[in-house]
Amino acid sequence: MKRNNWRSKEKEGWSNRRQTYHPNNYRRPNHCSFTERCEQEEPWNSLNAGTSNSGSSSEVCHSSPVPELPGFYYDPEKNRYFRLLPGHNNYNPLTKESLQYKEMECKRLKLLEEEEMQKKKTSRAGLNSSLVLRKRQLGLLSSTNYCRLVHELKVNCMQRRKVEIRSPDSSVTGTNNFKLIVADTACERIFTVNDVEHGGCKYGIINLSGLGKDALTVEMYDNLYFTNRKVNSVCWASLTHQDSHLCLMGIAETPGCASLLPASLFSNSNPGDQPGMLCSFKISTAWSCAWCLNPQADNCFSTGLMRRVLVTNAMTGHRQTFGTSSDVLAQQFATQTPVLYNGCRSGEVFSIDIRQRSRRGHSWKAVRLFHDSAVTSVRLLQAEYYLMAADMAGKIKLWDLRAVKCVKQYEGHHNEYATLPLQINEEEGLVTAVGQDCYTRIWSLQDAHLLRMIPSPHPSSRDSIPSVVFSSRLGGSRGVPGLLMAVKQDLYHFSYNSDNPCCP
């Protein structure tokens, strides 16, 4: 009898459990509120969890200990799971893509709010201007390390200000989105590529001489003759004098087109007096270009094509062709030797000595490096002992060309499919890159430490990836230092702020 009573009680207990558990509700016991849980987490989670201004929308917090269920999304505010099926809730269909976009947008808005409130955080724990100055006075820091740390402090103090763009033709100012900006050697002018509504691109040059601490005004000159060609790559060319011409590579129709045109074409007010294009020829789709400044290969520029490299002399028209096994997406010439470095879709980085004759096979490849994904940018350091390369897996690596090995890796860059450039400022010891997530990241060149992550002023999308230029002399030798960002139809200047207490 006792045994039967025990079994009856056990059955009764299980029946009660079945009655209290409702799988259709997909609920999880909540011992504390979502706000309390987030306050108890580590401080770095503030970069990963965003806040929403909309009361009807829910938030995503990956740091929550709630287990993931396939096909469901857990809302920490409502304390329940929702099915990830489009149309399940007609008023609020949920997809993984929409949730990821919402989380990124919340994170971006939070970082923008912190910047507007001037909530600056140092890139390294305990780093401040007084400590750096004190160590310098005590002789604990060399002049090189002192300057490097000062630049790190100034980078974290940069504040965003909008630049006014003026143009002789006011009807076209601010009507097209920026696609690409490329500065000349002295950072006095910026060549711009703008998307137009009916397709193709519009080109222009921005004069940065009016960029100052008090007035942020620049003059933009464009030429409407070159409006139907889509540009994949641009580089400045020094033919008659420093940065006298521009190399444009892209698609005109089918096949593609390579053009070399004078920069004065955009600053001459009289169209009848404008010089014509120096050279233009049709080629297969061009992905990259580079100009050679070495006197042993004077007046030469290269073009990265589908499975080949084309080196052309702009004056004589002589061409050399080097066959490759993959598309060439990135190029840069060395200055001390006539050597061209190429980054391929296959992940290979190789060099070519253009003094030798082109021939088949890989025997002419002097240096060969390998990434796991397509290489989108290659940059040589000034001494030309090191090369930095970025790929479509978001990896940025610094290679020692003498030892042929990777010596540093810069973490945090985001890329999956876009051709995104790298910028190296050795004088300031900084590396700058814009990710596919529309964040501009700045690293320390020396130790690969991430110094700052700048959100875009506009919501992130494929068509709104910013294009940036960083220099300590924007506008010439007496220009202002900082970062210039072009996104959508706007131009922003992030300048060093000496009035900020965190800067020396």
Side-chain angles (χ1 to χ4, degrees):
M1 293 296 293
K2 292 182 179 180
R3 183 176 301 177
N4 292 335
N5 290 336
W6 177 82
R7 289 182 177 176
S8 62
K9 291 181 180 180
E10 182 183 12
K11 293 179 180 180
E12 182 180 356
W14 279 107
S15 63
N16 291 335
R17 291 181 186 177
R18 287 194 297 267
Q19 292 175 1
T20 55
Y21 177 68
H22 300 284
N24 294 329
N25 292 333
Y26 298 104
R27 294 186 179 272
R28 177 183 174 87
N30 186 16
H31 300 289
C32 61
S33 64
F34 172 71
T35 305
E36 293 174 352
R37 289 199 305 271
C38 288
E39 290 176 352
Q40 296 172 1
E41 292 170 356
E42 296 296 330
W44 60 266
N45 279 340
S46 61
L47 295 177
N48 299 327
T51 57
S52 175
N53 296 327
S54 176
S56 61
S57 60
S58 56
E59 296 180 329
V60 179
C61 185
H62 289 298
S63 59
S64 175
V66 177
E68 294 185 2
L69 296 180
F72 292 90
Y73 153 68
Y74 176 76
D75 190 324
E77 286 187 345
K78 298 182 180 180
N79 191 29
R80 64 176 297 178
Y81 288 92
F82 289 92
R83 190 182 299 273
L84 281 173
L85 289 177
H88 176 69
N89 296 322
N90 293 328
Y91 63 93
N92 187 24
L94 296 174
T95 61
K96 288 185 178 180
E97 291 77 12
S98 63
L99 294 173
Q100 291 175 356
Y101 176 79
K102 182 179 179 180
E103 181 185 8
M104 291 177 58
E105 186 64 14
C106 291
K107 174 183 173 181
R108 186 188 68 87
L109 293 175
K110 184 175 182 179
L111 290 178
L112 285 176
E113 183 180 357
E114 291 180 356
E115 287 193 349
E116 292 177 357
M117 297 174 61
Q118 298 184 1
K119 290 180 60 177
K120 301 299 177 184
K121 300 179 181 179
T122 58
S123 57
R124 304 177 193 269
L127 181 64
N128 55 68
S129 59
S130 60
L131 178 62
V132 172
L133 184 60
R134 183 60 176 169
K135 286 186 175 182
R136 174 59 177 162
Q137 292 173 347
L138 294 176
L140 301 177
L141 284 177
S142 64
S143 58
T144 303
N145 290 333
Y146 173 74
C147 293
R148 177 177 58 84
L149 293 177
V150 167
H151 279 295
E152 288 189 12
L153 290 171
K154 289 184 176 293
V155 162
N156 283 277
C157 295
M158 290 192 306
Q159 296 180 351
R160 184 182 76 251
R161 298 169 63 189
K162 191 172 182 180
V163 179
E164 181 184 357
I165 303 175
R166 296 179 180 177
S167 174
D169 188 0
S170 58
S171 62
V172 298
T173 304
T175 58
N176 303 114
N177 294 334
F178 285 102
K179 179 183 178 183
L180 180 68
I181 60 174
V182 181
D184 61 4
T185 305
C187 288
E188 296 177 345
R189 298 167 298 170
I190 289 182
F191 183 76
T192 68
V193 179
N194 298 68
D195 289 328
V196 294
E197 296 180 356
H198 56 78
C201 297
K202 182 183 72 172
Y203 314 146
I205 285 183
I206 293 180
N207 189 350
L208 299 180
S209 59
L211 196 64
K213 294 183 179 180
D214 299 328
L216 294 179
T217 304
V218 294
E219 295 288 339
M220 182 173 182
Y221 306 91
D222 53 21
N223 187 286
L224 299 180
Y225 177 74
F226 303 98
T227 55
N228 297 322
R229 296 180 179 174
K230 183 177 179 181
V231 176
N232 287 338
S233 181
V234 176
C235 70
W236 288 84
S238 300
L239 190 60
T240 58
H241 56 273
Q242 184 74 27
D243 299 326
S244 60
H245 290 69
L246 289 152
C247 294
L248 305 179
M249 304 295 160
I251 304 171
E253 299 165 350
T254 301
C257 183
S259 304
L260 183 65
L261 60 143
S264 58
L265 189 68
F266 300 91
S267 58
N268 197 328
S269 58
N270 188 357
D273 297 335
Q274 290 181 352
M277 192 179 303
L278 185 62
C279 68
S280 179
F281 52 90
K282 292 186 177 182
I283 50 176
S284 59
T285 301
W287 299 104
S288 57
C289 63
W291 180 265
C292 184
L293 294 175
N294 189 276
Q296 299 182 57
D298 199 18
N299 301 327
C300 287
F301 68 94
S302 66
T303 308
L305 307 174
M306 299 177 62
R307 299 180 180 273
R308 63 191 175 107
V309 174
L310 182 64
V311 180
T312 306
N313 189 302
M315 299 301 294
T316 63
H318 178 263
R319 300 181 188 177
Q320 285 181 281
T321 303
F322 299 87
T324 65
S325 58
S326 180
D327 302 341
V328 180
L329 305 182
Q331 293 182 310
Q332 186 182 9
F333 273 103
T335 56
Q336 299 179 11
T337 56
V339 175
L340 173 64
Y341 289 87
N342 305 269
C344 297
R345 192 184 298 275
S346 62
E348 181 185 10
V349 179
F350 63 89
S351 62
I352 303 173
D353 190 335
I354 61 175
R355 290 171 295 188
Q356 60 184 343
R357 294 181 179 179
S358 57
R359 54 181 179 267
R360 296 180 180 179
H362 303 295
S363 59
W364 42 264
K365 294 183 179 180
V367 177
R368 300 184 70 184
L369 312 172
F370 296 93
H371 279 237
D372 296 331
S373 183
V375 177
T376 61
S377 182
V378 291
R379 290 290 180 267
L380 274 170
L381 274 65
Q382 291 179 0
E384 300 185 359
Y385 297 138
Y386 296 92
L387 178 139
M388 189 173 292
D391 59 31
M392 287 191 182
K395 303 295 183 182
I396 301 178
K397 297 181 179 181
L398 182 65
W399 293 87
D400 188 333
L401 297 178
R402 296 164 294 181
V404 195
K405 68 176 183 178
C406 177
V407 293
K408 285 186 180 67
Q409 188 161 324
Y410 299 77
E411 303 290 345
H413 185 55
H414 180 76
N415 191 13
E416 294 178 356
Y417 58 81
T419 304
L420 303 174
L422 279 174
Q423 293 188 30
I424 302 177
N425 301 87
E426 288 193 63
E427 183 179 352
E428 296 82 10
L430 302 174
V431 178
T432 308
V434 179
Q436 188 181 319
D437 54 358
C438 298
Y439 281 85
T440 303
R441 294 173 174 86
I442 303 177
W443 294 267
S444 169
L445 177 61
Q446 183 181 26
D447 59 4
H449 184 78
L450 181 61
L451 302 177
R452 185 169 177 183
M453 187 170 63
I454 303 175
S456 172
H458 294 268
S460 60
S461 66
R462 292 188 176 186
D463 300 330
S464 62
I465 299 178
S467 181
V468 300
V469 170
F470 186 90
S471 175
S472 58
R473 55 183 189 279
L474 289 173
S477 58
R478 297 184 179 181
V480 293
L483 181 138
L484 205 62
M485 176 186 292
V487 55
K488 287 290 188 179
Q489 302 172 359
D490 301 324
L491 192 65
Y492 299 92
H493 180 229
F494 292 77
S495 62
Y496 291 127
N497 185 5
S498 58
D499 299 330
N500 196 305
C502 74
C503 294

